[in-house]
Amino acid sequence: MEDLIALHEIGDIVPLGRSVDLMFGGGRCHFLKNSTVGSCRNDDIDVKSIAIDKGWNWFETRNDFDGLNIENPQLPVAGIFTPDHMSYNIDRDPKVEPSLLEMASTAIKMLHQATFSSDKGFFIMIEGSRIDMAAHSNDPATHLREILAYNEVIEWVKNYVDEHPDTVMISVSDHETGGFSVAKQVDKEYPSYLWYPEALSPITNSTEIIAPAILEKNPDEKRDFVVDVVLKEWMSITNASESEIDELCTATRIYDIEEILGGMASTLAQVNSWCKHHSAVDVNLYAYGHPDHYKLFGNHENTDIGEFITEFLSLDLQSVTTRLR
């Protein structure tokens, strides 16, 4: 599916032509033909070259991102910074990858300038996509950092909306993941209904980074590495049980190591996840800005959001559907 999406994003093989003006993020391997080093495509379509031939301003480095001309944006523009997913914020090297806030604010500034003299304005989707992935891993420290990064974006966008009150901001997720809850019961006594989010602050890496590092260690080095580096230095855990250390040293799958590490961090903070998949929990829906945002107050079916956007932007989806057919 990602291979096809890449073609759609650049406006190839679709009846509507190009409908995207700007995209920042990861997934470069889906834009490279399968004979190229670093490609993950299943075919020999060189999507990156097609995009450049179609006039896309294509770049892949932090330096190029920092050098973008925001006042006079050259659209369409694509900044594809990583071969696969962007790094979790807890692991991100700011010299290599821009943050979600940096990408979102830059994108909005560029689209604002590009549509300044237009009565159509712009539509932008900003996704905190790795919130979901951290929840799938039941990795609470990483999950928290991804949520906080998203909240920073929300604060910035709200300020933009305040300055441009004809704008609507909608924030929603398509599902909850992991069955996350607080006040984990850590013993057999009557629960205390406490949780300690500050226990997650000293953790400096995601389980996505830590688990392979443990697995790659030689057996004669692994125990010291787990105790002195992983637990003490990276996770600030100094009271791990012998059984927990043994499990980390003997596990043979990344999945199992991630589960052990996530469980230890969850116990520290007294938070809990009861599954590793999507749940049926209702998700929060927020709307802000233009007076019409009140139409999204209360409980809604997910399709109501699309209907609101269609009405607000005066879109003719039937004509689009006809063209696509």
Side-chain angles (χ1 to χ4, degrees):
M1 180 64 74
E2 288 91 343
D3 290 354
L4 182 60
I5 290 172
L7 287 166
H8 284 194
E9 285 176 324
I10 67 166
D12 198 48
I13 73 164
V14 288
L16 299 178
R18 181 174 62 80
S19 57
V20 176
D21 295 305
L22 179 152
M23 53 184 180
F24 296 150
R28 188 187 309 126
C29 67
H30 294 286
F31 293 86
L32 305 176
K33 60 182 179 180
N34 59 7
S35 59
T36 306
V37 175
S39 172
C40 58
R41 289 191 67 86
N42 293 315
D43 56 42
D44 63 353
I45 299 176
D46 190 343
V47 184
K48 174 181 173 180
S49 293
I50 295 173
I52 293 172
D53 289 343
K54 286 180 172 289
W56 280 83
N57 173 18
W58 185 282
F59 64 92
E60 300 176 357
T61 70
R62 173 70 202 233
N63 284 341
D64 287 333
F65 176 80
D66 292 339
L68 284 171
N69 187 339
I70 295 177
E71 297 302 318
N72 185 27
Q74 302 301 306
L75 303 179
V77 60
I80 313 299
F81 304 102
T82 55
D84 197 357
H85 297 290
M86 299 286 284
S87 298
Y88 282 125
N89 207 44
I90 196 173
D91 303 319
R92 180 178 62 87
D93 182 349
K95 296 179 181 179
V96 177
E97 300 176 47
S99 67
L100 183 64
L101 175 60
E102 289 172 316
M103 290 187 290
S105 59
T106 297
I108 290 176
K109 290 174 184 177
M110 292 179 73
L111 293 174
H112 175 82
Q113 287 298 119
T115 59
F116 187 78
S117 300
S118 167
D119 60 355
K120 292 183 178 180
F122 62 88
F123 172 92
I124 183 171
M125 187 185 78
I126 303 166
E127 185 179 14
S129 62
R130 303 218 70 189
I131 296 173
D132 169 65
M133 301 184 75
H136 275 295
S137 298
N138 296 166
D139 182 350
T142 302
H143 195 193
L144 175 63
R145 300 304 208 292
E146 293 301 301
I147 293 170
L148 292 176
Y150 182 78
N151 284 352
E152 289 179 349
V153 174
I154 293 296
E155 182 178 1
W156 193 95
V157 176
K158 285 180 66 178
N159 289 333
Y160 176 87
V161 172
D162 287 340
E163 296 173 1
H164 306 86
D166 57 344
T167 308
V168 167
M169 178 189 74
I170 301 170
S171 176
V172 69
S173 58
D174 51 347
H175 53 75
E176 193 274 341
T177 300
F180 184 80
S181 62
V182 299
K184 178 180 181 180
Q185 185 170 348
V186 295
D187 52 44
K188 295 181 180 180
E189 301 297 324
Y190 191 80
S192 301
Y193 299 109
L194 299 173
W195 69 298
Y196 303 100
E198 64 274 10
L200 302 175
S201 295
I203 297 177
T204 58
N205 296 99
S206 70
T207 61
E208 180 178 83
I209 294 295
I210 299 174
I214 293 175
L215 201 59
E216 291 167 4
K217 277 294 174 183
N218 294 326
D220 57 341
E221 301 174 334
K222 186 170 291 188
R223 189 175 186 86
D224 287 343
F225 176 72
V226 166
V227 173
D228 296 332
V229 178
V230 171
L231 297 180
K232 185 177 180 180
E233 182 179 336
W234 292 351
M235 299 183 70
S236 292
I237 296 176
T238 56
N239 60 346
S241 68
E242 288 300 313
S243 63
E244 288 173 324
I245 296 171
D246 289 341
E247 287 178 349
L248 287 171
C249 291
T250 57
T252 58
R253 298 191 307 167
I254 287 177
Y255 177 92
D256 295 329
I257 298 173
E258 287 183 338
E259 186 168 19
I260 297 164
L261 294 169
M264 295 175 73
S266 295
T267 298
L268 273 182
Q270 293 194 23
V271 298
N272 193 44
S273 296
W274 57 265
C275 69
K276 286 183 172 289
H277 48 73
H278 302 165
S279 76
V281 174
D282 287 348
V283 297
N284 290 358
L285 168 63
Y286 304 95
Y288 185 79
H290 188 282
D292 281 356
H293 81 275
Y294 80 90
K295 296 178 181 179
L296 291 177
F297 288 1
N299 292 340
H300 289 271
E301 294 291 334
N302 57 3
T303 53
D304 293 346
I305 301 167
E307 291 172 357
F308 171 85
I309 295 172
T310 300
E311 178 185 346
F312 185 77
L313 296 179
S314 300
L315 303 178
D316 181 3
L317 296 188
Q318 185 55 54
S319 67
V320 174
T321 302
T322 300
R323 292 169 64 188
L324 288 173
R325 287 175 175 170

